[in-house]
Amino acid sequence: MTSTDHEDVDTSGEEADVDQTGLTGETEEPDQRRRPWSPRQARRIRIAVAGTIMAAIAVTLVLGLREQPSLLTVGVYGAALVLCGVVVELSRRGRTRIGTWLLGTGLVACAVADQLLRAL
């Protein structure tokens, strides 16, 4: 082969699948699978999820106070509302993974605390 030949040579004996940009399909696919959303989209999605959960908790708090008016009920739901606010702020600052874990574990803890308070 001379230096002027521009053939794709593969050591395995098969031709490489090269698209018009010169990149093989193998190098583009793993990147697309690992990062389906841009960081900005991920932040916006987590902010929207935390805001939606915050609204649902507020509605549940109002309904819970009708059923069982208690300071402990207000405390648990108030803690969940604060937790959602913290997650929104963490997402705004780019700490979406920490916010996601905090939201998940915090909401599970609030749900368990609410069930324990209802059992008393």
Side-chain angles (χ1 to χ4, degrees), residues 3 7 26 37 66 117:
S3 62
E7 293 181 19
E26 296 171 0
W37 296 316
R66 286 183 185 170
L117 289 175

Side-chain angles (χ1 to χ4, degrees), residues 5-50:
D5 291 337
H6 296 292
E7 293 181 19
D8 291 329
V9 178
D10 191 12
T11 58
S12 66
E14 298 177 7
E15 290 184 3
D17 183 26
V18 179
D19 63 1
Q20 293 175 350
T21 61
L23 299 173
T24 62
E26 296 171 0
T27 58
E28 284 185 342
E29 295 234 356
D31 289 339
Q32 290 176 353
R33 279 189 229 144
R34 282 187 286 156
R35 195 173 267 182
W37 296 316
S38 70
R40 182 179 214 166
Q41 289 172 327
R43 285 193 301 268
R44 287 184 178 184
I45 288 170
R46 285 180 178 89
I47 288 170
V49 167

Side-chain angles (χ1 to χ4, degrees), residues 42-65:
R43 285 193 301 268
R44 287 184 178 184
I45 288 170
R46 285 180 178 89
I47 288 170
V49 167
T52 303
I53 292 173
M54 187 183 288
I57 289 172
V59 169
T60 308
L61 173 62
V62 170
L63 295 176
L65 286 176

Side-chain angles (χ1 to χ4, degrees), residues 60 63-64 67-68 73 77 112-120:
T60 308
L63 295 176
E67 183 181 310
Q68 180 185 7
T73 303
Y77 286 108
V112 168
D114 184 47
Q115 292 301 316
L116 288 174
L117 289 175
R118 289 178 191 262
L120 295 176

